[in-house]
Amino acid sequence: MTDYEILIDHGGPGDADVTVECDADHGFDLTVGLLRAVLRADPSIRRFVLEVDGQRIGVVHAELLDDDTDGTWHRTADGAADGREELPGLTASFRPVAFTCPESGCPRLTYRGHANVRPPSCPVHGVPMEGRQ
């Protein structure tokens, strides 16, 4: 099982209108930071598809990321998630970039936390998505 698997709700619905794309180079902790940044940017999102390096990992429910901490994911030296101790390293703060489908009425939305010159394609219509302000 990959680190990302602990974020997936294997018993819930298998799809969502929102996708969050991440780079594996970010690692688990920074990916969680991005996911929380997406939820802060749009609190109406309750579940989303997680993709890492273009591979679909599964559907994450926002409740798995809800907490009363400062928005960073903490890990102990043994790798377990923990709210008491933080390993040193890169910050887990992001400004996610949102993309929407240009087709009228399409609810699909994709967030990215990495720079990619080509916009994502809508999984329903196959057209390039547009950046959203």
Side-chain angles (χ1 to χ4, degrees):
M1 172 170 35
T2 67
D3 280 346
Y4 304 109
E5 289 291 320
I6 66 171
L7 299 173
I8 304 305
D9 179 10
H10 295 284
D15 201 14
D17 287 335
V18 178
T19 299
V20 179
E21 296 181 355
C22 306
D23 283 338
D25 292 344
H26 288 160
F28 180 79
D29 296 327
L30 292 179
T31 296
V32 169
L34 170 63
L35 301 179
R36 287 187 171 154
V38 167
L39 295 176
R40 284 191 302 273
D42 187 348
S44 70
I45 296 173
R46 298 319 306 153
R47 63 191 184 103
F48 49 86
V49 174
L50 173 61
E51 288 185 3
V52 178
D53 284 348
Q55 179 182 356
R56 180 190 166 103
I57 304 299
V59 175
V60 177
H61 288 262
E63 294 77 25
L64 293 173
L65 299 168
D66 287 345
D67 66 15
D68 295 326
T69 69
D70 60 1
T72 59
W73 187 268
H74 301 280
R75 291 187 150 233
T76 60
D78 65 0
D82 186 322
R84 297 183 307 255
E85 189 177 339
E86 184 177 357
L87 291 177
L90 298 173
T91 179
S93 60
F94 286 90
R95 178 170 290 157
V97 179
F99 295 87
T100 58
C101 178
E103 296 293 321
S104 178
C106 182
R108 295 293 177 147
L109 176 64
T110 296
Y111 282 93
R112 280 190 172 161
H114 58 87
N116 188 332
V117 277
R118 287 189 293 150
S121 295
C122 175
V124 174
H125 298 104
V127 298
M129 298 177 94
E130 300 173 342
R132 182 176 92 169
Q133 294 293 339

